[in-house]
Amino acid sequence: MRPGRILHPELAKALATCGHTDIILVTDAGFPIPKDANRIDLGYYAGQADLLDILRMLRKEIFVEEVAFAPEIKTHHPALYKDLQEIYTGSGAVFKGIPHEELVAEIAPKAKVIIRSGSLNAWGNIALTCSTDPFAWFTEDDVTILDAYVERRKRIEDNEVPEL
């Protein structure tokens, strides 16, 4: 066993294949996953594995620059919105509202990995855009740092709470 590491071999492999701008879609139990998707099914019973547990695990494993979800979460499921803020505070990620229909029709088909939870958490479909460690890149004195990296570094250093 690998202490402090993902034990699920398919999930560990899928995450290792992700690069900058790849999308990982974490869904509730009822999300319509495209038939040809790289599907990692962690849902084994209603409510298990939990969406928030999966997101917390991913927060420890990957860098994310954007967390996208239906904007209705903020008003229609404020507890979930608050949980998302808690998970991604200090990550440097920004929140983006994407209509549920767009998550289904456009994001799911191009997601590199779709992780289905067993969650019955309403509005529980979250698209994570992978990133790189903003402190590991652009470290040479003679290389100009991209503004996006400056901004992400600042959000991390300021322990910024993301907002829609």
Side-chain angles (χ1 to χ4, degrees), residues 92-148:
V94 295
F95 281 0
K96 179 180 178 182
I98 295 183
H100 177 74
E101 296 77 17
E102 190 175 327
L103 284 168
V104 172
E106 295 176 32
I107 302 300
K110 69 180 185 179
K112 185 141 189 191
V113 180
I114 299 179
I115 303 169
R116 187 179 78 99
S117 73
S119 181
L120 305 180
N121 211 336
W123 304 96
N125 303 298
I126 314 297
L128 308 174
T129 301
C130 296
S131 186
T132 57
D133 179 348
F135 295 99
W137 295 87
F138 302 101
T139 58
E140 297 86 5
D141 292 336
D142 62 340
V143 175
T144 303
I145 186 170
L146 296 173
D147 290 340

Side-chain angles (χ1 to χ4, degrees), residues 7 26 37 86 95 159 162:
L7 300 176
V26 184
E86 174 193 310
F95 281 0
N159 204 36

Side-chain angles (χ1 to χ4, degrees), residues 28-98:
D28 61 23
F31 191 87
I33 297 173
K35 66 179 178 167
D36 58 344
N38 181 9
R39 174 187 182 135
I40 310 269
D41 203 332
L42 300 182
Y44 61 90
Y45 198 78
Q48 300 298 323
D50 180 64
L51 171 77
L52 295 172
D53 289 340
I54 294 168
L55 292 172
R56 285 184 185 102
M57 174 272 304
L58 291 173
R59 171 71 168 85
K60 295 175 187 175
E61 293 288 327
I62 60 171
F63 287 98
V64 172
E65 64 185 28
E66 182 179 276
V67 179
F69 49 85
E72 291 87 354
I73 285 177
K74 190 170 183 178
T75 55
H76 292 34
H77 198 335
L80 177 56
Y81 181 75
K82 184 177 178 183
D83 287 332
L84 292 172
Q85 285 184 302
E86 174 193 310
I87 292 167
Y88 291 100
T89 291
S91 70
V94 295
F95 281 0
K96 179 180 178 182
I98 295 183

